[in-house]
Amino acid sequence: MILGRVIKSTGSWYIVQTEKGAVAARLKGKFKQQDLKLTNPIAVGDLVEIEKEPGQDSVIIKEILPRENYVIRKSTRKQHHSHIIASNIDQALLVITMKNPRTSLGFIDRFLVSTESFRIPALLVVNKMDQLEGEDEEDWLQDIHEIYEPLGYPVLEVSALKDGDLKEKFSPYLQDKSTLIAGHSGVGKSTLLNALIPEALQETKEVSEYSTKGVHTTTFAELFALEAGGDLIDTPGIKEFGILDIEENELSHYFPEMREYLGQCKYNNCRHVNEPGCVILKKLEEGYIHPYRYKNYLNILQEEDTHR
Ligand SMILES: Nc1nc2c(ncn2[C@@H]2O[C@H](COP(=O)(O)OP(=O)(O)OP(=O)(O)O)[C@@H](O)[C@H]2O)c(=O)[nH]1
Ligand SMILES: [Mg+2]
Ligand SMILES: [Zn+2]
């Protein structure tokens, strides 16, 4: 039995990196998934045990080791199913853009709730800075800095296509870590990855070509090693994150600015919506909690996915 990490998954076969190199492997039989309804039994980042099939050349995945963490999105094909984007990561890098396409604060907050639920550190990378123009766009950028930096999420501004110093700029953040790159389709995830790891040769495509057709350029997640140590996982663009298995009274734990006040409300089952003696509402009024963040808290709370 050999241990390895899945670095690519096409849905029917997998590339597993072992100490002795990469091998193609496939699944035999079915795996028991915990409680999650998943469209992919094995995800990039998974640690697996592989074995040569007796009397044959092919390699099979025998066992999947428990996942330390993962980032999940809603399935595009099956209702009430989810898709694991990647697992066993040290941090998540969310690429966001003001336009072509525009990333909303709601989308960012849903992403951060998913990562916070596993205590995965996250980093925001504003891409396509060369295209930023006008007051409205400057305001959006200022909001991003003002809202997220005080919460502990670093915000980097780049132009993945044009900047020449990206390796230097990112190395303090990426070295020796396994980093997931996520974001909407067309924000420039693969362009950034190619700038950091030129050998990756990930395909990139103009936004106009797919926004009309609705196809993504990157269709499978794939992990690439960084020269200086660590790795990056390029992933297909996401429309919506699945915030699953989060109880209603758990949600505020995933908003760092609310965490410190939890337990101080009058009622211990306070949802921080309209309850008397709610400390979160008081802090919102006093300006310690950003109104946009609170609005997104309410939006997520009202979603069908959160349950009592
Ligand atoms: N102007 C400008 N264009 C960029 C920049 N970064 C990426 N692009 C362009 O944006 C388009 C989409 O880039 P991709 O890297 O394919 O985007 P992606 O996020 O990987 O998209 P999916 O694989 O579909 O999820 C391409 O035409 C890139 O050349 C940038 O910094 N500035
Ligand atoms: Mg891509
Ligand atoms: Zn409250």
Side-chain angles (χ1 to χ4, degrees), residues 222-284:
E222 187 167 354
L223 181 150
F224 300 92
L226 280 159
E227 210 177 11
D231 50 66
L232 295 179
I233 304 174
D234 192 14
T235 63
I238 319 157
K239 270 211 191 74
E240 251 187 301
F241 287 99
I243 298 174
L244 296 129
D245 288 335
I246 292 182
E247 302 286 335
E248 205 172 60
N249 57 9
E250 233 183 282
L251 184 60
S252 49
H253 293 257
Y254 308 137
F255 281 75
E257 66 272 57
M258 296 187 189
R259 225 180 267 151
E260 57 184 302
Y261 307 119
L262 297 177
Q264 296 177 22
C265 298
K266 184 171 173 189
Y267 300 110
N268 62 11
N269 61 348
C270 188
R271 292 174 314 145
H272 327 300
V273 177
N274 51 14
E275 294 86 342
C278 172
V279 173
I280 298 298
L281 288 172
K282 185 163 162 270
K283 293 293 165 188
L284 173 72

Side-chain angles (χ1 to χ4, degrees), residues 32-180:
K32 265 189 286 167
Q33 295 293 341
Q34 302 91 15
D35 284 337
L36 296 166
K37 278 188 184 168
L38 293 175
T39 48
N40 57 336
I42 292 194
V44 168
D46 280 351
L47 294 169
V48 293
E49 283 178 356
I50 55 173
E51 196 178 66
K52 262 226 166 83
E53 262 194 292
Q56 292 182 49
D57 280 341
S58 50
V59 175
I60 55 168
I61 295 173
K62 287 290 277 189
E63 191 83 60
I64 162 169
L65 277 63
R67 294 180 179 113
E68 202 181 303
N69 59 39
Y70 51 83
V71 177
I72 203 163
R73 65 162 167 77
K74 287 178 184 164
S75 167
T76 43
R77 291 177 287 128
K78 271 186 175 170
Q79 244 197 330
H80 305 303
H81 278 64
S82 320
H83 187 95
I84 296 187
I85 298 169
S87 69
N88 302 321
I89 55 170
D90 295 314
Q91 62 180 358
L93 184 162
L94 185 68
V95 181
I96 59 176
T97 47
M98 167 58 209
K99 62 174 175 227
N100 306 322
R102 181 178 191 138
T103 307
S104 70
L105 300 184
F107 179 80
I108 297 172
D109 288 339
R110 279 181 169 76
F111 180 76
L112 295 176
V113 166
S114 329
T115 53
E116 285 291 338
S117 71
F118 281 111
R119 297 282 154 114
I120 300 168
L123 177 76
L124 300 180
V125 173
V126 181
N127 190 29
K128 307 199 187 184
M129 279 301 293
D130 56 296
Q131 292 190 332
L132 198 87
E133 58 184 3
E135 210 175 307
D136 168 48
E137 303 190 359
E138 296 287 349
D139 286 349
W140 175 88
L141 184 63
Q142 201 180 332
D143 280 344
I144 299 289
H145 283 284
E146 281 179 11
I147 297 171
Y148 298 104
E149 277 169 343
L151 301 178
Y153 303 114
V155 177
L156 297 186
E157 297 179 6
V158 302
S159 175
L161 202 57
K162 308 203 169 152
D163 290 351
D165 58 349
L166 288 173
K167 277 191 191 176
E168 293 74 22
K169 189 166 183 167
F170 278 91
S171 72
Y173 295 97
L174 303 180
Q175 183 150 8
D176 297 328
K177 287 182 181 145
S178 191
T179 305
L180 164 83

